[in-house]
Amino acid sequence: MDDKKKIAAKLHLTKGGPIRIVGRFYVVDTQGNNLTPDGDGDVYLCACGNSKKKPFCDGSHKTHV
């Protein structure tokens, strides 16, 4: 079996920025609710802790250096 067929999503880490998730996936909260209704595409997760839209990035990392 081709290893690439097993990959459903890729996580791209950036220095000082968000975590970008690309592919087919779901982001689920602590209660089990799906936070990404379409489940397909690119999503940016907050890695700095300053976003007002957690777990998603709102660009706050740009002003909190």
Side-chain angles (χ1 to χ4, degrees):
M1 180 185 256
D2 185 6
D3 286 342
K4 290 186 179 184
K5 290 182 182 178
K6 294 179 183 179
I7 298 172
K10 285 186 177 182
L11 279 72
H12 299 264
L13 306 178
T14 58
K15 187 174 183 176
I19 300 166
R20 178 179 169 215
I21 307 175
V22 180
R24 184 145 181 80
F25 58 88
Y26 293 96
V27 176
V28 180
D29 69 12
T30 57
Q31 287 78 39
N33 300 309
N34 181 19
L35 301 179
T36 51
D38 60 2
D40 197 11
D42 294 8
V43 168
Y44 294 84
L45 299 179
C46 176
C48 73
N50 293 310
S51 176
K52 292 189 179 22
K53 293 182 167 186
K54 289 179 193 154
F56 304 105
C57 177
D58 67 359
S60 293
H61 60 277
K62 295 175 185 175
T63 59
H64 293 88
V65 179

